[in-house]
Structure formats: C-alpha cells, structure tokens
Amino acid sequence: MPYVQLQDLEVFYEKMGSGEPIIFLHSGYSRGILAFASQLLDFQKKYTCYYPDLRGHGRTRCESLEWSTPQLAKDMIAFMDALHIPKAHLVGYSLGANVGLYCAVQHPERVTTLTTIGTSGFADPTGVEEFEPEWLIEQDQQDTIKQMTERHEEAHRGNWQEHMRQSAQDWRLYPQLTEDQLRSIRCPALLITGEFDPFVGEEKLSYLGSLIQDSEIYMVTGGSHRPHMSREHPTQVNDRILQFLDAYSFE
C-alpha cells in the first residue's frame, strides 16, 4: 500500500475504485480502513475512495507524536495537493467528522460535499477520562492497551500512552469552531447520528444542522455512535450517503 510524503509526515493510505474522489476520515483510536470497513465495497463501485491514516494513527509516520484536529485538517488539504485532488467529497466519522468540518470552513473550494457521522460540531469531553492511560492501567484494561499498542505501532513507535494522551487532549479541546464559522459552510452536508449515540443524538445534531445552511439530518433508528459499522446499520447508512452523493457532482 502507498505512502505519500507531506513535509514532516509520511501518510499511509489505501485507494480503491474509480470516479469522483471521496476521502474517508476515520475516528480517533482507529485507522482509515478499520473505521470504514463496511463501506469498502459499496462506494468503490462509483467513486475513487481514499482511506488515509491520520497523523498520530495507524501506519502514518512522523517524528513528532503531537497532533490536533486543526493540524489534521491541514494535513488532509496537503494530502489532496500531493495527490492532485482539486476537490473531493469528505466522509468523516467522529474525530474525522470534526476534521471534515474544519476543511469545509477553512478550504470551502476543496470540499464538494461533507458527510459527518457522530459529531455535534462542538467540543464535549463526556467520557474522555476512561480513555486516558492512567485510567486504563488502573482498571487493568489490557485488551484496550494491547489493541492501541498494535494498531498504532508505526505512528506512536510503541508509546501507546502518549497516543492516548494526545487523543484525550484533542477530545477535550476540539472542535473549536464558532457558530459563525459553522454558518459559513456552503457545501451540501449530510449530518448523521445514531438514535442512541451518547455523544451526539438528534437534538444536538439538529442544532448543528440549523447552523449549516445546505444540510440534511439523518438519524439512524437504533444506532449508536457508529451506526455505519458492522453489526449496526451499514447497508442503511451506505444507501443514504450514496443517495446524498448522487444528488451532487463537480460543477
């Protein structure tokens, strides 16, 4: 699988399919192809799909272990530049959805459409303490520790605790977009939440939708924070996103 060099960053990504480009932006603690495993087959039939591992995650490499949501957005614009992608559909989940919001605010000319899954658009630290390394050690969460160590070995070079600290810090701080900045988004947007998402839900998402002018809300009945994933409602979510994308193409 290919890497692309972006100054200090060596971004690992996977690419499949043909057609207009979609960049899938994964959640925290995950990797591109893991967060969107249930989207791999459906979307490549009509679109060129890119699944990058974000800075600090997966197989992407960098000497610095520091990262933040705004930095990830800058990385993704540089990623598009390096691969000569002038404009793309963005599909983001959780952390990746926040990255997509930053891209749409700061680089509107590069975003054809934006699909978010599992973000309210505002920082909310609910539950973050259970993802900090000290808590995981104290609670003897060995399965999670092993998973984070293995999943991000190349990104954090074995320092899983720093990875978790960076993730927790970003969770607490971002997104920091103002209401006016969110109102400035002009690309068509599809905003998705699960009915039982503890971090978002229909009420919070409706407020975000009231700020983004050309947006649609989709609440997945019975869904959690990750309604697009296996054992939840991937077919239903995929069909809705594909229907949304079909309505828009490059001008």
Side-chain angles (χ1 to χ4, degrees):
M1 290 297 106
Y3 282 86
V4 60
Q5 189 74 42
L6 308 178
Q7 295 184 349
D8 65 327
L9 194 63
E10 204 175 351
V11 177
F12 174 85
Y13 69 99
E14 307 206 43
K15 174 186 175 184
M16 56 194 72
S18 60
E20 292 183 3
I22 300 181
I23 301 175
F24 289 85
L25 305 169
H26 66 74
S27 55
Y29 313 104
S30 192
R31 296 171 51 183
I33 205 165
L34 290 179
F36 295 104
S38 296
Q39 284 65 57
L40 295 177
L41 295 178
D42 284 350
F43 285 80
Q44 67 176 312
K45 296 175 183 177
K46 190 172 179 180
Y47 297 94
T48 302
C49 302
Y50 296 86
Y51 301 89
D53 287 356
L54 301 175
R55 180 188 293 261
H57 297 76
R59 298 180 67 180
T60 287
R61 305 163 182 158
C62 186
E63 284 301 311
S64 172
L65 300 184
E66 295 183 5
W67 59 270
S68 67
T69 292
Q71 179 62 60
L72 300 181
K74 291 178 183 177
D75 290 342
M76 287 302 98
I77 297 301
F79 176 80
M80 292 173 68
D81 289 343
L83 296 182
H84 307 291
I85 303 171
K87 198 171 185 180
H89 303 279
L90 301 183
V91 177
Y93 163 48
S94 197
L95 167 66
N98 295 333
V99 173
L101 288 171
Y102 271 81
C103 289
V105 167
Q106 297 174 344
H107 300 276
E109 74 285 356
R110 308 299 295 272
V111 183
T112 308
T113 66
L114 173 64
T115 298
T116 70
I117 304 171
T119 184
S120 68
F122 296 91
D124 181 355
T126 302
V128 66
E129 62 278 354
E130 295 185 8
F131 288 83
E132 294 182 318
E134 292 78 12
W135 188 92
L136 293 169
I137 293 169
E138 181 181 330
Q139 300 297 317
D140 197 30
Q141 298 293 308
Q142 291 302 317
D143 287 346
T144 299
I145 291 171
K146 289 177 183 176
Q147 186 182 70
M148 292 299 101
T149 300
E150 182 276 331
R151 184 175 294 179
H152 307 290
E153 179 69 31
E154 291 187 57
H156 60 48
R157 303 191 300 282
N159 191 346
W160 71 271
Q161 293 192 42
E162 184 60 24
H163 171 79
M164 300 304 281
R165 286 193 189 95
Q166 287 291 320
S167 297
Q169 176 176 284
D170 189 81
W171 185 342
R172 283 191 168 92
L173 292 177
Y174 298 104
Q176 289 185 11
L177 297 168
T178 66
E179 292 181 352
D180 283 344
Q181 285 177 307
L182 291 169
R183 288 190 186 98
S184 75
I185 294 176
R186 288 293 178 262
C187 68
L190 176 62
L191 313 175
I192 299 175
T193 184
E195 179 184 9
F196 302 115
D197 186 340
F199 309 112
V200 188
E202 189 172 17
E203 183 177 347
K204 289 181 179 178
L205 202 65
S206 294
Y207 182 66
L208 178 61
S210 72
L211 298 174
I212 300 176
Q213 181 176 327
D214 191 7
S215 64
E216 305 172 30
I217 303 295
Y218 183 54
M219 202 262 300
V220 182
T221 303
S224 73
H225 184 57
R226 51 182 198 177
H228 64 297
M229 288 193 178
S230 173
R231 297 184 180 272
E232 290 224 4
H233 309 278
T235 301
Q236 179 182 337
V237 173
N238 289 358
D239 288 349
R240 182 64 186 88
I241 297 174
L242 287 166
Q243 179 189 40
F244 168 70
L245 294 176
D246 280 347
Y248 303 98
S249 59
F250 296 143
E251 296 180 357

